[in-house]
Amino acid sequence: MLASIEEVVTDEKTRNSVIDSIKKIPISDTTTSRRVETLASDVFETLLDKLKRAEVMSLAVDESTDSSDVAQLCLYVRFFDGECFREDLLGLIPLDGHTTGEILFEKVISFFRENQLELSRINMLVTDGAPAMSGRTRGLSARLADVAPQLRSLHCLIHQSLLCAKLSGELKETMDSVMAIINFIRSTSSLQHRLFRQLLSDMSAQYTDLLIHNDIRWLSKGNALKRFCELKEEILAFLRNSKQKKADTFLCLMENAEFHAAVCFLSDVFHHLNLLNTELQGRDKTVAQLVERLQAFQKRLALFSADLCSGKMLHFPALRTAGLQTTEAMTGFINALKTNFAARFEHFSIPTEVMGFVNDPFCVDVVGEFAVKAKELVVSLNEACLQLELIDIQSSADLKQSLQLAGSEKFWTREVSHQKFPNSRHLALFVLTMFGSTYTCESAFSHMNAIKTSNRASLTAEHLHHCMRIAMTSYTPDFAALAKSNKCHFSH
């Protein structure tokens, strides 16, 4: 109507009056849906255009069941578009029935064929480690490796770090007891929960409630333990005033010094693990950066072990403040953490020499095994030329200063010339393209559930996909060009 009025009505005053009246007409759900579809199509076409020109791409794949019990396969892609690295939602594929490795493989293959994308350009596949994803013979990673020769598979580094901290024995019993006490206070009855919160208010406590632990939430265990320790006196007061039989059992447990020491120790340990987890989370985190943080944490574990054995407990403030002693279970858990981290990240699919080169090429030994390892990772590299290029890079004072000022990512994309250092730059961009975790997929699932919750009645799988593309894209559509080509107005 607006486009017609612009053409038909010649009198400017009349035209403006009519246009103002038309703009007051509420937009229908069909119009809104059409505009969302147009925006999503433009975002996807732009992404495909840039992907087809990219030399390599990394794929993060995760599967989750949404709030309406529909299994969704999320594909996230990371690539270098010639100017910067981009992370975008490639696809959200609904799955009917079973979610085996064969079905996931067929879905991914069909998606790539339909959109004319080359599987051979995938250099890294990151999954959540589920059997359907990472099975050695029938998993998605094994099947994709047969059609993508340079593909390397990786179990999400965040998930692996969480698996290293699994509790067992005495400490698991302590954790279960803490959760039982929290559930007793919060979930026995609404009245009991209200009384506890009122007690916290009357005692001017720092917090207004306890936190419930959820295994799915990465930081949940550490946060719940920390809150439990800081509300110890309030919990004791509540249990003493309670007339329920369970309260007496939990009160005896809370007054036990060994139990309290174990709780304080777990609170301190999971605080450190939460700090690591937070460092690993986030978009635009390269695999080299994540491995660097994991290596640093392994060194911290050695420090924690020595600190605990010495009795100083500088890195265990809750345990030190409570004036409690360490036990064999505590030292054993720290040693187990050291062993688990070392075992999981010792044989990494990407050579440490190559990742060291990406972070700091000036510290790489040219004569050593670096060039051989780089050739194994990227077969197309010229080993001899790579060594000569590395010598020239290390001899340049300007490039060294640029690395310090710009950081590794901008250094390789903006400061290092493709014409002068083709092999070095290609190797660096190859590694920098790689995902290190499925964090982006986890973030996409959070957005997906939020969208489905607010639009449960009318949302179709196609509409969900369109909304997700707009919500998760790093590309800003050209609204003026879209409006011109589609003869319609796009509101913010």
Side-chain angles (χ1 to χ4, degrees), residues 92-107:
L92 189 68
I93 307 172
L95 303 171
D96 300 322
H98 296 287
T99 56
T100 62
E102 182 180 2
I103 292 173
L104 298 181
F105 175 70
E106 289 174 355
K107 291 289 186 180

Side-chain angles (χ1 to χ4, degrees), residues 329-340:
M330 298 176 189
T331 55
F333 182 69
I334 294 295
N335 291 330
L337 270 180
K338 289 166 57 181
T339 303
N340 292 342

Side-chain angles (χ1 to χ4, degrees), residues 127-144:
T127 68
D128 61 356
M133 295 284 186
S134 57
R136 293 185 179 180
T137 56
R138 298 183 179 182
L140 174 65
S141 57
R143 294 173 186 271
L144 283 178

